[in-house]
Amino acid sequence: MMNVGLFFGVMGILSIIYLALGWLASRNIKNHTDFFLAGRNLGVFAVTATIIATQIGGGMFIGTAQDPFRGVLYIIGIVIGLLILGLSVAEKFRAFAIETVGDIFTQKYNSTFLRFVCEILSVTTLCGILLAQALAAKSIVGYFVEVDSSFLFPLLWMTIVGYTLLGGLKAVIFTDILQVILIITVFSGIFCYTIF
C-alpha cells in the first residue's frame, strides 16, 4: 500500500498545477471557438501529446497487465483508428469548418433532427465514458490507499471539471502534455532503475 500522506501530497500538488494550467489557458479565451477548439490553432506536438495522454492512461496499463492479448488488440485498434482518421477523415472534417459532429448534419444535410439524434448519442456516450473512468479511478484509489474515498472522490472530479471549465480545450491539452511528460519520466525512471 502507498503512504497516505504521500498520496494526498502528490494529488494536492497535481490538483494545484492543473488548476493553474486551466487559469493560464483561460487568459487567451475570447470566444467559444477558443474555448471549445483551442482557437483551431494546435500544433502537431500538442495534438500528439493529447492523443497519447488520452489513449495511454492508468486504465490501459492496468488492462494490459491483466490481459496482455486484449491490451495488444486495444493498441492495434487505436493505431488503425488514428491512421484512418489522420489519412482520410480528419481533413474532410476540417474542410467543413464545424465545431461538433452534429454540425455536419445541419450544414450538409440541413437536418436539425439528425443533429439532435447525433448530440443525444454523443452525450450518452460521453456520460458512459465518464462514469467508467470515475469507477476505475475510485477502484484505483481504493487499491493503492486504504482511505475512505467518499470525500476524496468528489474533490478529484471537481478539480478535473474546474480546470476544464476554466480553460476549455487548451487547458485539457496543457494537462495532457503534463501527463505525457509524467508518463515518460516515470517509465524512463523505471527503465533506468531496472537496467542499473
Side-chain angles (χ1 to χ4, degrees), residues 121-157:
L121 291 173
S122 179
V123 168
T124 304
T125 304
L126 290 173
C127 286
I129 291 169
L130 181 63
L131 182 61
Q133 291 199 351
L135 293 174
K138 188 173 185 178
S139 67
I140 288 170
V141 168
Y143 179 78
F144 285 111
V145 181
E146 287 183 356
V147 67
D148 178 23
S149 61
S150 59
F151 75 94
L152 176 67
F153 197 62
L155 287 175
L156 172 70
W157 285 102

Side-chain angles (χ1 to χ4, degrees), residues 33-90:
T33 302
D34 289 339
F35 184 82
F36 289 112
L37 302 173
R40 295 185 188 268
N41 191 19
L42 297 174
V44 172
F45 174 75
V47 172
T48 303
T50 198
I51 289 172
I52 289 171
T54 302
Q55 298 303 326
I56 301 176
M60 187 230 147
F61 287 125
I62 291 170
T64 303
Q66 288 178 342
D67 189 349
F69 179 72
R70 287 189 181 164
V72 169
L73 289 178
Y74 175 75
I75 292 167
I76 291 170
I78 289 171
V79 169
I80 291 171
L82 290 175
L83 282 173
I84 291 170
L85 181 66
L87 296 175
S88 63
V89 180

